Amino acid sequence: MKRLFLIIFLLLLLWVSSMDSCHARRGKHWRQRRAAWASQLTKKKGKSTNGGSRQSHHHGGGGGSPAAGKKKLPGTGYGTGSPAVFDVLDFGAKGDGATDDTKAFQAAWAAACKVEGSTVVVPSQFTFLVGPISFSGPYCQQNIAIQLDGTIIAPTNAKAWGSGLLQWLEFTKLKGIHIRGSGVIDGRGSVWWANDYPDQIQDPVSSELMSKMPSIKPTALRFYGSFDVVVTGITIQNSPQCHLKFDSCVGVQVYNMTVSSPGNSLNTDGIHLQNSRDVMIHSTDLGCGDDCISIQTGCTNVYVHDVNCGPGHGISIGGLGKDSTKACVSNITVRNVNMHNTMNGVRIKTWQGGSGSVQGVSFSNIQVSEVELPIVIDQFYCDKSTCKNQSSAVALSGIQYENIRGTYTVQPVHLACSDSIPCIDVSLTDIHLEPIQEHYHMYDTLCWQTFGELRTPTVPPIDCIQMGKPPNNKIQSDHDSC
């Protein structure tokens, strides 16, 4: 029995020993596999970090470089698998306010143009001198943004403008072009305005600034033939002529931006619309030397609200029909506007001899302060000493004025409509306008060939509106109508 027990005991020892050896080998192999997997994962993470996320970009001094550890060639942008970013500093821009950075901006745009959803960055704390430039489609990708946080200034020497150009910064034939940021576009227009008033002493400028500029003055920022255009956050100031222009555009949004020029800067419209539709302008401050907003022929579905205007000439539709041309404007809404120290409030102006129509216009909730002429229709508009009397005219209909209140300095209401094609369906509701001072020499309310209705009593009384329709209203031919 002892021998049998000893044999069983030895067999158990051998079995336990073999089990420990097996577990040891399995643990070694598992540890090896785990170590290999961890090594592979680390390598994958390293690749993802280097190539799959955008590198941070810091600038200092007069330029900048990509983050340490990554060599970036001009034109490649940042971000593999995410929208590319093209900083103008990486394309040679100096941003010192003296060096011409036009070519760097052109190069940055050329690179961004190839990448859908890309962004051109104009960084803060830099001032870029940029000459006349066109950021052009139609072969650019969609949804390109300009992140403007720095300052762009225009050249002030006559040589940069040649014989004269109509625009300084131009974007043409693009889809989804957005200009955003907190930066400034400065047209430095005082040298141009000096030519408008040669006898007046301007702000002190260098002899270079006093050189003779071309008679053709450029618009600061123009969009042509583009879709889905957004301008937000930026400031446009001191443009030689119009500050912001949209021509033949569809789907425009302008908000949270500022236009700023002196009240005596000639022809410096704030926002100019022409042949454009589906436009919204809101939450914007506009001060300039001409119309805060100018709505020209070919515009429809325009909505303006929550805008401050002044100095300037107010918000205008027109002038329309110049040189016997046809003008068509429809579905215009202007509401919740504050106007201070402007020449006009809300105005429609047309030339004699034109054709076409303005219809479906609503002006409401307009607060005026020290405005010369708060409510104006002028179908005898003339920017010369005399203009030829003509019978044809742009037809005006469906014009509504509601809740327009405040103070005026010259005349509260001036409604001068065409003799041959009177204004029809003009309505006034809750109009309350008082002179800034009673002893000023004021003009009384004027209505001429204006048909419509007074829906509430007004201050002052506007009893010159003719009720109903004109007895012999001339009907436009199909050729003249819109």
Side-chain angles (χ1 to χ4, degrees):
M1 287 295 292
K2 290 183 179 179
R3 182 177 296 177
L4 179 61
F5 178 80
L6 181 60
I7 292 171
I8 293 172
F9 179 74
L10 291 173
L11 290 173
L12 284 172
L13 285 176
L14 290 172
W15 180 75
V16 169
S17 176
S18 65
M19 287 294 292
D20 289 340
S21 175
C22 179
H23 279 297
R25 287 193 300 269
R26 195 178 95 184
K28 179 181 179 181
H29 294 163
W30 182 83
R31 286 193 298 271
Q32 289 175 343
R33 289 196 299 271
R34 183 174 66 175
W37 175 79
S39 176
Q40 292 175 3
L41 182 61
T42 302
K43 291 179 180 178
K44 288 181 180 179
K45 286 184 177 179
K47 291 179 181 179
S48 174
T49 302
N50 292 332
S53 63
R54 185 183 305 171
Q55 296 290 325
S56 62
H57 196 174
H58 303 280
H59 295 291
S65 62
K70 181 179 179 182
K71 180 70 173 179
K72 182 184 127 359
L73 299 176
T76 59
Y78 293 111
T80 302
S82 59
V85 175
F86 301 90
D87 192 315
V88 295
L89 294 175
D90 295 322
F91 292 83
K94 300 301 181 184
D96 57 12
T99 304
D100 186 350
D101 289 325
T102 307
K103 289 184 177 179
F105 274 66
Q106 289 172 330
W109 174 259
C113 176
K114 302 172 184 177
V115 183
E116 182 174 354
S118 60
T119 300
V120 175
V121 171
V122 182
S124 62
Q125 299 182 349
F126 292 88
T127 298
F128 301 92
L129 175 63
V130 178
I133 186 171
S134 179
F135 304 97
S136 301
Y139 303 111
C140 285
Q141 296 296 314
Q142 299 183 20
N143 303 322
I144 299 175
I146 308 294
Q147 183 67 39
L148 173 57
D149 293 314
T151 298
I152 300 175
I153 60 175
T156 54
N157 61 304
K159 183 179 178 181
W161 301 99
S163 60
L165 296 172
L166 294 174
Q167 47 271 329
W168 169 32
L169 309 174
E170 182 180 37
F171 293 82
T172 65
K173 299 181 180 179
L174 298 164
K175 293 183 179 179
I177 178 67
H178 293 191
I179 312 295
R180 65 193 184 212
S182 58
V184 176
I185 295 174
D186 189 346
R188 300 205 286 181
S190 60
V191 63
W192 304 79
W193 309 331
N195 292 334
D196 295 328
Y197 304 101
D199 297 331
Q200 294 185 17
I201 299 176
Q202 305 293 319
D203 294 334
V205 290
S206 67
S207 59
E208 178 188 14
L209 295 184
M210 292 303 293
S211 62
K212 181 67 176 178
M213 302 300 283
S215 59
I216 299 174
K217 298 187 295 184
T219 288
L221 178 59
R222 179 188 185 234
F223 295 86
Y224 173 76
S226 297
F227 297 82
D228 182 20
V229 183
V230 176
V231 179
T232 181
I234 67 171
T235 295
I236 308 176
Q237 65 189 30
N238 301 323
S239 177
Q241 197 171 48
C242 179
H243 288 77
L244 177 59
K245 181 181 290 186
F246 299 94
D247 190 353
S248 302
C249 293
V250 178
V252 174
Q253 294 186 61
V254 179
Y255 60 96
N256 294 339
M257 69 158 293
T258 300
V259 165
S260 178
S261 286
N264 64 350
S265 54
L266 193 65
N267 297 323
T268 56
D269 286 354
I271 301 175
H272 182 98
L273 306 175
Q274 184 170 333
N275 295 315
S276 295
R277 60 184 172 87
D278 304 331
V279 178
M280 180 178 290
I281 301 169
H282 66 92
S283 309
T284 291
D285 295 328
L286 305 171
C288 55
D290 210 304
D291 295 330
C292 291
I293 299 175
S294 172
I295 302 170
Q296 299 294 326
T297 185
C299 290
T300 186
N301 299 338
V302 177
Y303 183 26
V304 177
H305 68 92
D306 296 286
V307 167
N308 296 317
C309 171
H313 293 183
I315 295 178
S316 295
I317 298 174
L320 304 174
K322 185 177 182 179
D323 298 326
S324 301
T325 56
K326 181 177 178 179
C328 298
V329 175
S330 64
N331 195 18
I332 310 297
T333 300
V334 178
R335 63 190 304 267
N336 298 346
V337 174
N338 292 317
M339 297 189 180
H340 176 69
N341 193 27
T342 58
M343 180 181 292
N344 304 286
V346 288
R347 173 172 60 162
I348 301 174
K349 54 181 180 178
T350 72
W351 297 75
Q352 295 184 71
S355 61
S357 67
V358 176
Q359 52 187 336
V361 178
S362 174
F363 299 113
S364 64
N365 301 337
I366 312 295
Q367 184 69 40
V368 296
S369 173
E370 301 181 39
V371 171
E372 293 182 23
L373 301 154
I375 298 175
V376 179
I377 292 177
D378 182 5
Q379 292 212 267
F380 302 90
Y381 180 72
C382 177
D383 62 357
K384 300 177 291 185
S385 58
T386 59
C387 288
K388 180 182 177 182
N389 287 326
Q390 300 182 65
S391 59
S392 61
V394 178
L396 273 56
S397 64
I399 316 297
Q400 299 181 6
Y401 301 93
E402 181 178 359
N403 192 28
I404 300 178
R405 298 171 176 271
T407 59
Y408 66 93
T409 61
V410 176
Q411 186 178 29
V413 178
H414 181 97
L415 305 175
C417 297
S418 168
D419 290 304
S420 57
I421 306 180
C423 303
I424 60 174
D425 297 329
V426 177
S427 66
L428 294 98
T429 307
D430 294 331
I431 308 300
H432 192 112
L433 300 168
E434 296 185 350
I436 188 67
Q437 291 183 12
E438 285 294 342
H439 67 270
Y440 276 15
H441 179 266
M442 300 292 174
Y443 292 93
D444 294 331
T445 294
L446 169 70
C447 307
W448 180 259
Q449 291 292 83
T450 307
F451 290 80
E453 63 175 327
L454 293 176
R455 295 180 176 173
T456 64
T458 62
V459 176
I462 307 173
D463 50 14
C464 53
I465 292 281
Q466 302 183 61
M467 300 300 151
K469 304 284 186 181
N472 297 311
N473 191 26
K474 179 180 177 182
I475 304 299
Q476 286 186 320
S477 67
D478 292 338
H479 174 74
D480 292 335
S481 61
C482 293

